[in-house]
Amino acid sequence: MSDHPTKYALEGCVVTMDPSFTVFERGTVYVDGGRITQVAPTGSLPPPGFQDAPVIGTRGTIYPGLIDLHNHLSYDALAL
């Protein structure tokens, strides 16, 4: 059993991948089991089952569904 929640929410500036590339200056990305279930402006009602999910403030920009394949792990994620 993992110590990590299967449901959580990420908050930050959210740049969506919808046809209009909508940007939520304050947005929330809801994740369940590693899959994005909803993207909405912060303050909107969470989807069912997320009322008690932890909310992680990223203080950054989130591009839901975009994977950065050119990333230097040693600069961005590993401790110095």
Side-chain angles (χ1 to χ4, degrees):
M1 183 95 187
S2 172
D3 291 340
H4 302 289
T6 59
K7 291 185 181 184
Y8 57 92
L10 300 172
E11 285 187 350
C13 175
V14 180
V15 180
T16 70
M17 297 293 134
D18 69 9
S20 300
F21 294 104
T22 304
V23 175
F24 298 120
E25 291 298 325
R26 292 186 58 234
T28 305
V29 178
Y30 295 94
V31 181
D32 184 1
R35 295 193 182 272
I36 297 169
T37 60
Q38 182 172 317
V39 176
T42 297
S44 301
L45 288 176
F50 280 87
Q51 290 74 14
D52 296 322
V55 177
I56 301 163
T58 66
R59 296 180 7 186
T61 302
I62 305 167
Y63 293 86
L66 179 67
I67 299 171
D68 181 3
L69 296 177
H70 179 252
N71 195 354
H72 298 278
L73 184 63
S74 59
Y75 303 145
D76 298 333
L78 299 176
L80 295 175

